[in-house]
Amino acid sequence: MLNQTIPIQVEGSLPDTRFITYIQDHYEEINIDKRPLVLICPGGGYRYTSVREGEALAMQFLAMGYHAAVLKYSCAPAGYPVALTELASAMLLIRQHAEEWHVDPEAVIVLGCSAGGHLAASLGVFWKEEFLRKTLGISAEKQRLLRPDGMILCYPVITSGEFAHRGSFENLLGETEGQAERLQNPNSLINRLSLENRVTSETPPAFIWHTYEDGSVPVENSLLFVSALRRAGVSAEFHMYPKGGHGLGLANRLTQTRDGRAIQDECTSWIALVHTWLESRYVALETGKSSDSQS
C-alpha cells in the first residue's frame, strides 16, 4: 500500500493541512488494473477535522476494493475559499497521478461528513468556478479535472437559510455580526454558499444519508439538496434513518466517542448501501461501465 502524507498548501492554508493516501498495491496476477478512489473530507463544523470521520471510513472503502484518501483541510481561522481550494488541489493531484496510482480517472468520488459534506458538495457545485482554475494555475481545458465523478454526503451541512448549522458558517466566513442583514442580500457570500441554490445539470450524482432526529444539522439540509438535484436532473440516492443523532460516522463501535455516543445500529447499513451504489455506478463489469455513470 502507498500510504503517503502529502502537504497541501494554497494561499491561506494552515501549516498542518495535508492529504493522506491509502493506495492499494497493483498486482499483475489480480484482474484489477484501475480502482475507484474515495476522497474523504471529515466533519468538524469548519472548526477542526474529526479523526472519527477519516481513517476509519477509509478502511471501509479499502475493504471494498477501492483506493481512499483523507484530506485534513484548513479550518478556522482560515476562511472561505481556502478549504475548497485545498480540496480542488487534492482532486487535481489524484487525477495527475491516476496512471501511477492505478486510479480510475472516471471514478474519483468525494465524501464529506457534516461540514465536510458542505465542502464536498461545494466542489460538486463550484468546480467550474474561474477562481479555482486561476488559483491552481490550470487551463480552462483542464478545469474538468476538478469535477468529482460522484459525491457521498453524510449528514451534510448544505443550507445557510432557515435550517442552517450557524456555527459552520460562522467558522467558514469569520464574521458573526450582521449575519441577518447578509442573509437578506441574495448576492452575499453566505447566500452564495447555500448549496441547494447552486446545483446545475453538471453537478455530480450523489449518495446522501441523514437522520430524522439530527438536532445539530437538521435533515432539511439533505432534503433541500436532494430536491435541487432532482430539479436539475442529477441522479441521487437518499436514505433518511428515523433514529440517530449527529456525527455518527460508521454508527458502530469503530467510530464511537469516548463518552459512548455515535452508536446507532439502525444506521450502520449506510456503508453497505453506498458500496452497492459505488459498484453499480463506477466499477467496470463484464458488460462495461454503467451507461449512466457520467450523469
Side-chain angles (χ1 to χ4, degrees):
M1 179 185 294
L2 182 64
N3 182 209
Q4 288 183 303
T5 298
I6 303 171
I8 296 284
Q9 291 291 305
V10 301
E11 184 177 356
S13 289
L14 298 183
D16 63 344
T17 304
R18 57 191 183 272
F19 170 72
I20 305 163
T21 68
Y22 302 86
I23 305 296
Q24 303 209 35
D25 290 331
H26 178 260
Y27 298 102
E28 289 298 330
E29 63 184 283
I30 297 177
N31 188 30
I32 300 176
D33 290 323
K34 297 181 295 184
R35 301 173 188 264
L37 185 147
V38 180
L39 173 56
I40 298 166
C41 302
Y46 283 118
R47 184 171 59 87
Y48 69 103
T49 51
S50 170
V51 295
R52 295 177 46 254
E53 296 164 337
E55 187 172 84
L57 273 63
M59 295 300 106
Q60 298 294 313
F61 292 108
L62 285 175
M64 296 176 193
Y66 312 141
H67 301 305
V70 176
L71 178 65
K72 187 180 185 302
Y73 52 90
S74 294
C75 296
Y80 180 86
V82 175
L84 176 57
T85 308
E86 292 168 348
L87 178 55
S89 180
M91 182 66 65
L92 184 61
L93 185 67
I94 292 166
R95 292 260 164 71
Q96 290 171 336
H97 288 272
E99 185 174 356
E100 174 190 352
W101 292 348
H102 296 276
V103 173
D104 183 344
E106 296 181 0
V108 182
I109 296 93
V110 64
L111 179 154
C113 300
S114 191
H118 185 271
L119 177 57
S122 292
L123 187 60
V125 300
F126 292 136
W127 64 271
K128 289 185 71 176
E129 292 290 303
E130 186 177 10
F131 82 87
L132 285 176
R133 176 175 63 81
K134 289 185 174 180
T135 301
L136 297 176
I138 60 174
S139 66
E141 291 74 20
K142 291 187 175 181
Q143 182 127 13
R144 196 166 183 85
L145 296 175
L146 305 182
R147 181 185 184 268
D149 295 297
M151 302 179 293
I152 301 168
L153 306 178
C154 309
Y155 40 89
V157 172
I158 293 292
T159 184
S160 63
E162 178 184 358
F163 300 103
H165 181 255
R166 293 293 171 210
S168 290
F169 287 98
E170 289 170 3
N171 289 325
L172 182 60
L173 299 178
E175 300 176 10
T176 58
E177 295 183 4
Q179 192 172 97
E181 290 78 4
R182 286 185 290 149
L183 281 168
Q184 298 302 314
N185 177 6
N187 296 318
S188 66
L189 183 56
I190 193 170
N191 275 317
R192 178 175 169 76
L193 295 178
S194 201
L195 303 182
E196 75 275 17
N197 300 323
R198 310 300 299 180
V199 172
T200 72
S201 61
E202 293 189 287
T203 301
F207 176 100
I208 306 170
W209 73 276
H210 218 122
T211 63
Y212 181 86
E213 294 181 338
D214 193 325
S216 297
V217 178
V219 70
E220 281 83 357
N221 282 262
S222 286
L223 294 171
L224 287 166
F225 200 64
V226 169
S227 295
L229 292 169
R230 171 71 172 172
R231 288 193 299 273
V234 176
S235 175
E237 180 171 336
F238 173 56
H239 299 273
M240 180 171 67
Y241 293 94
K243 298 291 184 181
H246 187 67
L248 291 177
L250 294 172
N252 61 25
R253 68 177 185 83
L254 298 179
T255 53
Q256 184 179 18
T257 62
R258 286 286 186 179
D259 60 1
R261 292 181 295 107
I263 294 282
Q264 195 71 46
D265 290 343
E266 298 95 323
C267 300
T268 57
S269 64
W270 81 265
I271 198 72
L273 292 169
V274 81
H275 186 196
T276 300
W277 181 78
L278 288 165
E279 289 284 308
S280 66
R281 295 194 66 89
Y282 303 102
V283 178
L285 306 175
E286 289 183 1
T287 55
K289 282 185 178 268
S290 172
S291 61
D292 65 344
S293 64
Q294 299 304 308
S295 299

